[in-house]
Amino acid sequence: MALGKFNAAEVEARIYADWEAAGCFAAGANARTDAATYSVMIPPPNVTGVLHMGHAFNNTLQDVMVRWHRMRGFDTLWQPGTDHAGIATQMVVERRLAETQQPSRTKLGRDAFTQKIWEWKAESGGTIVSQLKRLGASCDWSREAFTMSGAPGAPQDVSSGNFHDAVIKVFVEMYNKGLIYRGKRLVNWDPHFETAISDLEVENIEVAGHMWHFKYPLAGGATYEYVEKDEDGIEILRETRDYISIATTRPETMLGDGAVAVHPSDERYAPIVGKLCEIPVGPKEHRRLIPIITDEYPDKDFGSGAVKITGAHDFNDYQVAKRGNIPMYNLMDTRADMRADGNPYAVEAAIAQKIANGEQDFDEAMIAAMNLVPDEYRGLDRFDARKRVVADIIAEGLAVMVDNPDFDAEAEADPDRRVGNLPTIPKVENKPIMQPFGDRSKVVIEPLLTDQWFVDTDKIVGPALDAVRNGDVKILPESGQKVYYHWLENIEPWCISRQLWWGHQIPVWYGPSVTHVTNDDGTASDDWDTQNPVHFCGATMDEALAQAVDYYQPSGAFGYLLPDEAENAEASISIPFDEHGQPVRLWRDPDVLDTWFSSGLWPIGTLGWPEDTPELAKYFPTSDLITGQDILFFWVARMMMMQLAVVDQKPFDTVYLHGLVRDAKGKKMSKSTGNVVDPLDLIDEYGADALRFASAAMASLGGTLKLDTQRIAGYRNFGTKLWNAASFGERNGTFDVPHSDAIPDATLTPNRWIKGEIARTREAVDTALTDYRFNDAASALYGFVWGTFCDWYIELTKPIFDSGSEAEIAETKAVYAWGLDQCLILLHPIMPFITEELWGQKVRPKRLIHADWPTYTAADLAAPDADSELGWVTGAIDAVRSARAQMHVPAGTCICARAERTASIAPVTQPNSL
RNA sequence: GCGGGAUUAGCUCAGCGGUAGAGCACUUCGUUGACAUCGAAGGGGUCACAAGUUCGAUCCUUGUAUCUCGCACCA
């Protein structure tokens, strides 16, 4: 059968199915005996995901490396799988419930909702996997993993493995080692998803904002001399004030102020430090007085130099408040609306005032329960509350006033021109401010004081830094190392608890704490406290129960356990009796773990840890990690920390980081800009090989990735060129002889020359891929196949096929067939489909995966009498000339114009004629 | 503010201590012989700027400018 046109769509589907059916991608396929191992972990795409250009690029690079190693006989594993992606997936499924008029998440309840997610996953969770297959990804799909496999409620057949147990085991181990703790901290709170998120999930974006200047009146109408001096110490302003001026961008948080802070060296406010001032919001009769304190934090030169301290709603203030033991009043609920719970404002304010006066002790729990939002603001959206507060303060005349630049006294005096301007207006500065947004929800993040679980990153960061510093783990390009160091050296505790339902539920059960107290009369009793519960952390309910028994037994006459008759028997335990003679009830932490906590265990988790599996022994630590630099902190650094903390081994040898794929002009692809390129469209139009070749060609170390479809079209053409080269060979009968792996002998100069060129190309490709220089490999191949093999060698063989001797033709056929075969082998990692197709159609009767990567060198193949490329080229031209002589072609005619020009033999008089 | 990166042909980008490279675009010519998704020929660059190191700098050093990306951030 003659070669027809190359139909990418048809070929790709057929060949991929053949590969899978033949088990070409299974771990260890094509491995030599005693082969070294090569393993790669796919960066698990979100199970909700669809393939975008970043995936296409990233997975192409992985596939190139994996195929290259597999062909070289390595025992190769490319481990695929998907990530459960807590927030993203919960968001998608919630949206879908709404679209299909199904009950909402909250109506369904936790169990039913997670069941919906499992159903959704079974239905459409495989989308991205099938898309990766279209790209040609040679993952071992039989090992496909999922970061929620094995979780309660998971269908048995969903995915192989039990990732859940691994995640839970790690949590328990880290908890037991003191690497994980729970605490009340100010965290980034996403009011849309109503969950805490980590620092990394917050995007700070500059938006237009305002800074309002308000007066906090001094208590009891006290006054002081306010003196402003310039740089030279010369007095520029002196006035008697009965207030302190405060600037804020967030007036709604004034309600939770605990103090006003000034810098200790700020002379302007020295007279009033230690005095009280009044928060100018809320009902007059219950306005709170707060102290004026000193702290290093305020900047004398910014604003008025005085800062209101709202510990529960600002990260800087939080630190000040902790230093100064200032109470932190939480003003908002989980949706960032002004709180509507608790006692009426009058009651709460009175208590707060006692605290401010030092007349009442306070603790965190008590403060957290207090609601200091005035009644009329309760339940308001935070931004509505801001408007109300501002309006109320201004109406009361407690805003700082400044000259109105628009005020025109004459005009105001003239009844016809009067516009009602006032000579002074409230001081409001328009000012760009950095505002935190949730990376998924896109709503403004609120610092919120809540109880959360944290990884004590300080304790596990050391080995992760050392491994890179001492070269155990290499990060490419090198600039990635510096970024890695910079982040890890300044690492903050990692908040890992999420108030979501889709995820690994934290394996901690709480129970009331019990303390023995000796009463005044000498009797002993137990003090039960559910506000400050004890933790029982265990991989299973039974483990937690055992701990609970140990804890509670010594504290009383608790001899045995009783099964709880409550509905939720799983999460409760009965121990007779507490102080009221009631069973002791445990309750499980409802929160789940940050998705990145589980994906941080991807390397060991997918290989079967904590079981001591053969795969773990063989493929871990993995070889290369190829991923986007945007998840260096999210994922790479955390894998480093966690693998080292859990199994005391590095997760991989080398990290290859690449940038974001941008459009042809270098702009970020985004839906709103409308410049998103769908890789599947590109595959449809140009074929997967063209997209892959373009990806490889773009992938210079540290280079920018601008995707130009013109370029992809060019590589599609390259495929056509290759196809036509095969077609030329076919027409000349080069594939008539059964395929042989043996390197054919050559006596004719062009044949001897091309063998050397092929060997040089093989060396170039190997060198390039060894150094992760995909673009070098691509350009070496492009240049060789098009510029050398097609432009020169084919031209050189024409006269031989036309008029050479039988022996010459036979030799040339053999060399040509072998040469094309070598082209296909070298191209295969980048262009697997077209090479495989040519292989199956004509060149060699086996799956290419069984074609071993060549190891010859130029020295092996180049003839001993020609040690330089120029020598070979010159010889080749001689061959052309002698062939021409045999054909009696008139002098001056050119068969290979370029060859003649290079050797400066003769001017081209009739280009391309024969 | 801290930290990366960039600046080379019209465009997009490689590269390198010793004659400046590719693709695309452009110009001219060429289609019955693998290929028009093609072939042949060709034009086009003070390698951002300045100083330094060197026999020699686009490359190394320092500085400047412009651009860009992370991280943080002043109420």
Side-chain angles (χ1 to χ4, degrees):
Chain A
M1 185 183 83
L3 282 174
K5 280 252 169 186
F6 178 67
N7 177 351
E10 184 274 325
V11 168
E12 287 168 9
R14 169 165 46 80
I15 285 184
Y16 200 93
D18 288 351
W19 281 332
E20 281 206 283
C24 292
F25 306 153
N30 200 44
R32 284 193 310 265
T33 43
D34 302 326
T37 57
Y38 179 76
S39 54
V40 172
M41 292 281 154
I42 202 170
N46 290 354
V47 67
T48 59
V50 291
L51 195 79
H52 58 60
M53 267 313 304
H55 294 125
F57 176 80
N58 171 258
N59 285 286
T60 295
L61 300 194
Q62 292 180 74
D63 199 38
V64 169
M65 292 306 273
V66 164
R67 286 179 187 265
W68 177 53
H69 279 87
R70 200 185 277 126
M71 290 172 78
R72 291 192 296 161
F74 282 74
D75 186 335
T76 304
L77 165 66
W78 186 7
Q79 172 65 50
T82 51
D83 192 283
H84 70 278
I87 288 186
T89 303
Q90 187 161 321
M91 182 170 75
V92 166
V93 174
E94 276 194 75
R95 193 186 303 145
R96 208 178 86 135
L97 289 176
E99 280 165 4
T100 54
Q101 280 85 45
Q102 294 185 64
S104 70
R105 171 175 71 93
T106 41
K107 272 195 187 138
L108 284 170
R110 185 166 187 150
D111 287 346
F113 179 71
T114 47
Q115 273 313 308
K116 283 280 178 196
I117 297 185
W118 284 113
E119 286 168 24
W120 174 86
K121 181 188 180 292
E123 207 176 296
S124 52
T127 304
I128 193 145
V129 168
S130 64
Q131 290 172 329
L132 284 169
K133 292 180 179 180
R134 285 212 56 197
L135 189 69
S138 63
C139 305
D140 183 353
W141 297 111
S142 71
R143 299 185 48 81
E144 184 182 341
F146 181 51
T147 55
M148 276 281 280
S149 63
Q156 285 303 306
D157 57 342
V158 153
S159 293
S160 56
N162 186 337
F163 210 89
H164 176 74
D165 284 0
V167 172
I168 296 304
K169 186 175 169 67
V170 166
F171 183 98
V172 174
E173 287 191 359
M174 290 179 75
Y175 176 93
N176 289 336
K177 288 184 197 167
L179 304 176
I180 287 178
Y181 61 87
R182 182 170 173 81
K184 188 183 278 298
R185 300 280 186 286
L186 201 56
V187 296
N188 298 295
W189 186 267
D190 187 318
H192 180 259
F193 292 116
E194 298 180 63
T195 178
I197 58 178
S198 73
D199 302 343
L200 286 176
E201 289 157 280
V202 177
E203 292 173 340
N204 291 298
I205 300 172
E206 190 173 279
V207 296
H210 305 284
M211 192 157 77
W212 288 270
H213 293 251
F214 297 136
K215 295 176 178 175
Y216 280 45
L218 295 183
T223 61
Y224 66 109
E225 285 292 298
Y226 179 84
V227 180
E228 189 99 28
K229 292 178 178 169
D230 67 9
E231 288 166 2
D232 303 323
I234 298 166
E235 209 174 288
I236 52 173
L237 175 69
R238 174 182 286 268
E239 61 184 17
T240 302
R241 287 187 174 176
D242 59 355
Y243 65 89
I244 182 166
S245 171
I246 304 287
T248 181
T249 56
R250 304 202 50 198
E252 71 279 15
T253 65
M254 288 168 63
L255 304 161
D257 288 353
V260 167
V262 298
H263 196 271
S265 69
D266 196 333
E267 293 173 11
R268 294 171 296 179
Y269 301 112
I272 53 170
V273 167
K275 297 209 157 67
L276 296 176
C277 62
E278 186 181 277
I279 302 172
V281 205
K284 274 218 152 116
E285 61 279 20
H286 298 300
R287 286 210 179 141
R288 284 194 296 125
L289 295 171
I290 53 176
I292 297 166
I293 63 166
T294 58
D295 192 275
E296 296 290 329
Y297 164 63
D299 177 351
K300 283 191 286 187
D301 299 322
F302 188 87
S304 66
V307 187
K308 69 190 202 63
I309 300 302
T310 320
H313 289 280
D314 181 281
F315 285 98
N316 286 311
D317 292 5
Y318 178 71
Q319 297 300 333
V320 177
K322 283 217 313 199
R323 282 196 288 271
N325 197 30
I326 307 294
M328 304 182 227
Y329 300 110
N330 200 346
L331 300 172
M332 297 179 198
D333 63 19
T334 57
R335 292 163 55 181
D337 289 337
M338 305 311 285
R339 281 173 60 178
D341 62 328
N343 294 318
Y345 177 75
V347 176
E348 302 281 41
I351 299 169
Q353 193 57 62
K354 280 189 180 169
I355 292 171
N357 296 345
E359 295 160 12
Q360 177 158 356
D361 290 338
F362 63 95
D363 63 26
E364 272 191 359
M366 171 191 170
I367 295 289
M370 289 177 61
N371 180 358
L372 282 174
V373 179
D375 301 336
E376 68 264 37
Y377 300 136
R378 290 191 178 191
L380 286 181
D381 171 85
R382 55 189 156 156
F383 301 112
D384 293 337
R386 176 181 304 174
K387 287 180 199 155
R388 288 278 301 272
V389 167
V390 169
D392 291 350
I393 296 175
I394 291 174
E396 206 183 323
L398 285 172
V400 174
M401 303 300 281
V402 292
D403 291 340
N404 182 359
D406 296 329
F407 180 68
D408 182 343
E410 276 184 32
E412 293 299 326
D414 179 347
D416 294 334
R417 291 169 57 205
R418 179 176 299 160
V419 291
N421 265 353
L422 295 170
T424 58
I425 51 173
K427 186 173 177 183
V428 183
E429 294 171 65
N430 289 317
K431 180 173 179 268
I433 53 172
M434 291 299 276
Q435 208 158 39
F437 290 86
D439 64 351
R440 295 225 99 92
S441 66
K442 308 297 179 193
V443 303
V444 176
I445 294 306
E446 193 64 43
L448 213 61
L449 204 51
T450 55
D451 284 304
Q452 302 291 343
W453 288 96
F454 296 87
V455 170
D456 195 346
T457 42
D458 272 344
K459 289 187 180 156
I460 58 172
V461 74
L465 273 166
D466 291 343
V468 177
R469 285 205 185 109
N470 66 24
D472 272 359
V473 175
K474 208 163 53 173
I475 299 181
L476 299 172
E478 218 170 305
S479 61
Q481 291 187 15
K482 295 180 192 167
V483 178
Y484 178 86
Y485 295 144
H486 190 248
W487 189 68
L488 286 185
E489 282 162 2
N490 299 290
I491 197 161
E492 295 285 324
W494 172 17
C495 175
I496 51 169
S497 42
R498 297 288 179 274
Q499 288 65 50
L500 302 171
W501 288 350
W502 178 236
H504 298 285
Q505 192 173 352
I506 289 171
V508 173
W509 285 259
Y510 301 106
S513 58
V514 185
T515 39
H516 287 284
V517 286
T518 307
N519 301 319
D520 293 343
D521 60 5
T523 60
S525 65
D526 294 328
D527 187 9
W528 294 78
D529 184 356
T530 49
Q531 289 302 311
N532 298 293
V534 281
H535 305 164
F536 306 108
C537 176
T540 62
M541 178 69 191
D542 286 345
E543 281 182 39
L545 278 180
Q547 292 173 27
V549 172
D550 286 347
Y551 177 81
Y552 290 110
Q553 270 185 339
S555 65
F558 309 123
Y560 52 92
L561 293 172
L562 288 178
D564 197 319
E565 290 167 10
E567 283 177 27
N568 192 1
E570 288 262 311
S572 62
I573 168 181
S574 296
I575 305 174
F577 298 93
D578 72 1
E579 65 206 309
H580 307 298
Q582 298 293 315
V584 174
R585 173 78 49 93
L586 301 194
W587 63 99
R588 185 171 183 176
D589 194 311
D591 292 352
V592 300
L593 290 165
D594 180 8
T595 294
W596 296 103
F597 185 91
S598 46
S599 50
L601 299 165
W602 190 239
I604 53 172
T606 53
L607 293 173
W609 186 91
E611 306 282 312
D612 193 11
T613 65
E615 287 82 5
L616 195 63
K618 193 193 271 186
Y619 296 115
F620 187 85
T622 65
S623 312
D624 291 330
L625 180 77
I626 298 177
T627 192
Q629 60 196 193
D630 53 328
I631 53 173
L632 175 62
F633 308 143
F634 274 112
W635 194 48
V636 180
R638 283 161 178 176
M639 275 194 287
M640 288 285 287
M641 290 191 286
M642 292 179 78
Q643 252 69 206
L644 285 163
V646 174
V647 294
D648 196 23
Q649 284 188 77
K650 62 180 176 177
F652 28 69
D653 300 330
T654 303
V655 180
Y656 175 97
L657 297 172
H658 58 76
L660 220 63
V661 180
R662 296 158 182 282
D663 74 3
K665 291 174 186 159
K667 279 194 180 150
K668 246 184 205 178
M669 291 188 188
S670 75
K671 278 180 194 159
S672 51
T673 320
N675 60 347
V676 177
V677 178
D678 184 344
L680 295 168
D681 292 344
L682 295 174
I683 291 174
D684 288 341
E685 183 162 4
Y686 302 106
D689 288 328
L691 178 61
R692 292 170 59 108
F693 206 99
S695 296
M698 279 198 296
S700 66
L701 265 175
T704 50
L705 308 174
K706 294 186 191 173
L707 186 80
D708 188 350
T709 49
Q710 264 193 318
R711 213 166 158 189
I712 300 174
Y715 294 124
R716 185 264 326 266
N717 297 353
F718 175 66
T720 308
K721 190 77 178 172
L722 180 71
W723 187 263
N724 288 324
S727 167
F728 172 82
E730 181 189 31
R731 225 172 273 202
N732 286 288
T734 60
F735 308 127
D736 292 350
V737 178
H739 171 79
S740 160
D741 277 321
I743 299 171
D745 290 329
T747 57
L748 292 176
T749 309
N751 293 336
R752 296 165 69 187
W753 165 72
I754 198 66
K755 283 170 66 178
E757 289 301 300
I758 287 169
R760 281 161 37 84
T761 305
R762 189 242 101 207
E763 288 177 2
V765 171
D766 278 339
T767 303
L769 292 181
T770 301
D771 295 338
Y772 303 88
R773 303 176 86 98
F774 300 93
N775 58 317
D776 282 358
S779 70
L781 285 163
Y782 188 93
F784 171 72
V785 170
W786 199 313
T788 301
F789 196 85
C790 291
D791 284 353
W792 292 32
Y793 181 65
I794 287 183
E795 295 303 324
L796 292 168
T797 62
K798 282 177 182 173
I800 302 173
F801 285 133
D802 280 352
S803 51
S805 70
E806 234 175 80
E808 286 170 341
I809 291 176
E811 173 190 301
T812 305
K813 280 184 181 177
V815 172
Y816 192 98
W818 176 82
L820 187 76
D821 185 32
Q822 301 304 300
C823 289
L824 298 181
I825 291 176
L826 298 180
L827 276 169
H828 178 260
I830 305 181
M831 306 186 98
F833 290 110
I834 194 168
T835 50
E836 182 72 80
E837 176 66 358
L838 281 172
W839 205 293
Q841 289 285 323
K842 283 296 160 193
V843 184
R844 129 194 324 241
K846 294 188 291 185
R847 292 280 126 204
L848 187 51
I849 192 173
H850 299 304
D852 289 331
W853 190 261
T855 55
Y856 46 68
T857 65
D860 294 337
L861 295 195
D865 57 342
D867 55 357
S868 72
E869 184 188 357
L870 185 62
W872 281 111
V873 172
T874 310
I877 290 159
D878 289 343
V880 172
R881 293 165 96 191
S882 67
R884 186 165 58 207
Q886 284 175 27
M887 293 184 292
H888 309 291
V889 177
T893 312
C894 177
I895 291 170
C896 182
R898 187 199 286 216
E900 292 203 3
R901 185 175 60 86
T902 304
S904 306
I905 292 171
V908 177
T909 54
Q910 294 177 22
N912 204 33
S913 62
L914 177 63

